[in-house]
Amino acid sequence: MYSLPKLTRDVSLNAIAVLTSGGDAPGMNPAIRSVARAALNAGIEVYGVQRGYSGLIIGDMALLDSASVSNIVQRGGTMLKSDRCDAFRDPAVRKQAAAILRERGVDGLVVIGGDGSLTGAHLLAEESGLAVVGLPGTIDNDIFGTDDTIGFDTAVTTALEAIDKIRDTALSHEQLFLVEVMGRNSGFIATQVGLAGGAEMILVPGYEIQVESICFQLAADRAAGKGSSGIIVVAEGPTPGLTYRLAERLRSHDQTAKVCILGHIQRGGSPTGHDRVLASCLGFSAVEYLRAGYSDIMIGVQNGQICQVPLEDVVNRSKPLDPALVDLVHLLHR
Ligand code: F6P
């Protein structure tokens, strides 16, 4: 359980807006519900913006009432839809977005999304003076300044279910599998899934892939009577399909491996209880921080406490993966 912030509510807000942006993440819906109901309960109007920044820049938004966020707490995806909006990189477009919000009488915006979306939120706050608060919403858990992100737990749970099933067939056929998980340039999903799924090995960005040492390890496993089945969890890296290239390289060393790319299945599905609670606490806190006069911040979690971090710090830094956890996966396999 998280402890919620207790802040002095210094600012009187008439209306706020909420949007979801970038790759969707299970838990975005409970976050929207929490933002909307926290605001409505405080007498603040709430606009739901459609399709992230793409909807914002054309004013595609409508007022939400309590009923409009009913029955979404358990649903994957985002009721507001999401988009990756390249146009928002243009300062003139951001100026237009700020003008649209002001025209509607909106004095606070909550942006739920990943790194790129939070960068947009930071620039909008900095350039327009509008109050903007970001929430970390991405399955990748790669946001600096927060231990956890909305959607990560669900994605890991989904990937684990798949891996447990793959292990059944891997054992039956004494087969090696390369299972590719999402996370783009980060290895948080791969590490968590590798640890919880008892993977023989994980390959994550930042560590060079040495096919020879993989082959050496496989041979050592066989010599130790561990059989020829196994699961290597591979973080996708910048572009999906790394596992196919790796299987090809293994083949040239007389090792056969089946490839399974889990892909977008990791972004869907009903959010876990953990993600629903996280999203609800972050959504409520976003409204509390806006009411206390904060802007240009992200609300995250550090050591189990809800906290605020300046967006400037969040977007200019990358979150390190603990190498000890990567080592632990390999240690526990031996
Ligand atoms: O950032 C979330 C994420 O799911 C990454 O893990 C993945 O690399 C990327 O989005 C895929 O994005 P898209 O659905 O736009 O191809």
Side-chain angles (χ1 to χ4, degrees), residues 23-24 84 138-140 182-184 189 236-237 264 267:
D24 66 346
R84 300 189 192 277
T138 166
I139 63 165
D140 298 347
M182 275 191 167
R184 203 163 266 165
I189 297 179
E236 63 180 356
H264 288 78
R267 287 229 303 252

Side-chain angles (χ1 to χ4, degrees), residues 41-81:
N41 279 317
I44 302 165
E45 285 192 320
V46 186
Y47 283 94
V49 180
Q50 292 289 311
R51 299 186 318 285
Y53 294 124
S54 299
L56 180 61
I57 62 182
I58 56 166
D60 189 1
M61 59 182 89
L63 282 171
L64 301 174
D65 61 15
S66 186
S68 30
V69 293
S70 281
N71 208 20
I72 61 166
V73 76
Q74 77 285 17
R75 298 219 174 118
T78 158
M79 66 167 272
L80 293 176
K81 314 263 186 276

